[in-house]
C-alpha cells in the first residue's frame, strides 16, 4: 500500500510592486488562502480542490487583481480570466473575458472536471469558454454563483480607472505607473497525500485593457501547468503571474514545467537557468525591453520535493504551508536594489522536508 505524503499548498498574490505599508496585508491574505487549502487536504480533498479553493479566497479579496476588485477594462467593466490543471488526469479548464461570475476559478474547475462527463450525440465537452458563453454555462451550474457585473467593481478599482482615463491623451500620462499600480494574476500550486499535483491561476487582466482581451491566466500552457511524476520524471505544478502578453509568447508555464520535471540535484539553479533561457532570452520576446513575470513551482520526485518561486518584477508575495505545519508562512520576495526589473530573475526555494 502506497504511503501518504504530506500535502502542500503554495499561493501568490501577484508579481509586481508592493509598498511597505501594504505588504503585511498581502502576506496575511496569503496565509489565509493557505489555511483553506490545507483544510481541504487534511479532510482528504484533492490537490485540484485545494489549489482551486485557495485561489477562490484570493479572488474574494478586494486587494487582489482577480474576481472582486479586478482591474477595469477601458470601458469600465470587470472581465476575468482563470484556469486550472489537474496533474493526475492532465485535464485543463479555463474561462476568459468573463463577467458576472463571483469566482471565475470555480467555473474553470467545473469545466476541467466536466470533461470526464459524456455528452449527447458524442459532442465534445469544452475546456475553455469565454465571454457570454462562459457566463451562460455558469448560469446552468447550481454550484457556481453568478452576480450582477457591477458588484465585482471595487471602490479602489473604480478610483484607478477614473484616474487613468482622465490622463489618457495627456502629456503627463505615465505608462510606468499604469504598469505597476496594480499587482497582477493570483494563483496556487498544490500536491495531495497521494502525490497528485494541481495548479490554478486567476486574473482581472492589465489595467485599461481592451474589452474582450484574454490574458495568460486563461491560455493553455501559459497561466498554469500540472503533471504528476512518471517514468523517472518528477511531478510538477506551475502557476505564473506578470505581463500576460509576455508570458503567452513564451508559453512559460508548460516550458518551465517540462524542464523542472527532469532529474536535477540543484532545482534552484535549474529554475534560474530555465527562466533565463525560456523567458529573458526567449527569441519570441527579443523586441521587448522589460520582460515581466513571476511564478511558483512545486517539484516532487517521489521521496521529497521543493517549493520554488521566481520573478523578474520588483517583488512577488507568496505563502505556503503543508499538512504537518501548525502555521502558514508568507514572505515578500524582492529584487536586489541593484537589479533592474524586467532584466534580472530572482529564484528562491525551500525543501518540503524543511516545512514542519
Amino acid at each position: 500500500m502506497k504511503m501518504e505524503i504530506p500535502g502542500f499548498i503554495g499561493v501568490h498574490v501577484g508579481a509586481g510592486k508592493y509598498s511597505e505599508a501594504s505588504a503585511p496585508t498581502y502576506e496575511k491574505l496569503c496565509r489565509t488562502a493557505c489555511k483553506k487549502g490545507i483544510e481541504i487536504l487534511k479532510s482528504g480533498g484533492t490537490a485540484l480542490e485545494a489549489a482551486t479553493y485557495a485561489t477562490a479566497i484570493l479572488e474574494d479579496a478586494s486587494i487582489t487583481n482577480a474576481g472582486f476588485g479586478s482591474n477595469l477594462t477601458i470601458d469600465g467593466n470587470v472581465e476575468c480570466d482563470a484556469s486550472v490543471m489537474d496533474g493526475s488526469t492532465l485535464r485543463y479548464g479555463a474561462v476568459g473575458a468573463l463577467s458576472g461570475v463571483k469566482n471565475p476559478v470555480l467555473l474553470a474547475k467545473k469545466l476541467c472536471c466536466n470533461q470526464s462527463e459524456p455528452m449527447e450525440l458524442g459532442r465534445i465537452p469544452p475546456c475553455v469558454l469565454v465571454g457570454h458563453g462562459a457566463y451562460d454555462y455558469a448560469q446552468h451550474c447550481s454550484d457556481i454563483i453568478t452576480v450582477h457585473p457591477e458588484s465585482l467593481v471595487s471602490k479602489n478599482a473604480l478610483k484607478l480607472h477614473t484616474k487613468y482615463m482622465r490622463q489618457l491623451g495627456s502629456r503627463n500620462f505615465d505608462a510606468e505607473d499604469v504598469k505597476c499600480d496594480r499587482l497582477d494574476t493570483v494563483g496556487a500550486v498544490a500536491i495531495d497525500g497521494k502525490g497528485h499535483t494541481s495548479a490554478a491561476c486567476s486574473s482581472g487582466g492589465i489595467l485599461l485593457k481592451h474589452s474582450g482581451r484574454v490574458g495568460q491566466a486563461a491560455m493553455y500552457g501559459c497561466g498554469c501547468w500540472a503533471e504528476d511524476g512518471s517514468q523517472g520524471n518528477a511531478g510538477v505544478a506551475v502557476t505564473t503571474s506578470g505581463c500576460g502578453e509576455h508570458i503567452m509568447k513564451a508559453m512559460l508555464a508548460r516550458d518551465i514545467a517540462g524542464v523542472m520535471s527532469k532529474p536535477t540535484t540543484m532545482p534552484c539553479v535549474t529554475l534560474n537557468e530555465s527562466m533565463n533561457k525560456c523567458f529573458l532570452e526567449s527569441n519570441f520576446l527579443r523586441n521587448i525591453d522589460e520582460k515581466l513575470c513571476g511564478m511558483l513551482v512545486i517539484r516532487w520526485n517521489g521521496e521529497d520535493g521543493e517549493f520554488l518561486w521566481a520573478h523578474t518584477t520588483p517583488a512577488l508575495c507568496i505563502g505556503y504551508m503543508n499538512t504537518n505545519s501548525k502555521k502558514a508562512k508568507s514572505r515578500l520576495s524582492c529584487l536586489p536594489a541593484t537589479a533592474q526589473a524586467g532584466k534580472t530573475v530572482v529564484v528562491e526555494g525551500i525543501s518540503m522536508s524543511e516545512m514542519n
Side-chain angles (χ1 to χ4, degrees), residues 73-74 123 127 137 159 168 183 201 215 219 291 322 352 354:
T73 67
I74 198 163
R123 294 159 61 214
C127 66
Y137 190 96
K159 179 180 177 181
L168 277 179
L183 304 179
C201 189
M219 301 296 286
K291 302 160 190 177
N322 74 13
M352 289 187 182
E354 298 174 359

Side-chain angles (χ1 to χ4, degrees), residues 2 4 29 65 77 87 91 123-124 141 144 170 175 215 232 239 290 296 339 345 349:
K2 190 174 180 180
E4 291 266 314
L29 176 59
N65 178 25
N77 303 313
R91 294 192 183 105
R123 294 159 61 214
I124 305 298
C141 299
I144 300 296
S170 167
T239 185
E290 291 185 346
L296 303 183
V345 59

Side-chain angles (χ1 to χ4, degrees), residues 21-41:
S22 67
T25 304
Y26 284 103
E27 288 191 51
K28 182 179 179 180
L29 176 59
C30 284
R31 295 193 297 271
T32 300
C34 285
K35 290 174 185 176
K36 178 63 176 180
I38 291 301
E39 285 175 9
I40 292 170
L41 293 175

Side-chain angles (χ1 to χ4, degrees), residues 51 92 165 214 305 314 316:
Y92 175 86
M165 286 299 291
V214 176
L316 175 69

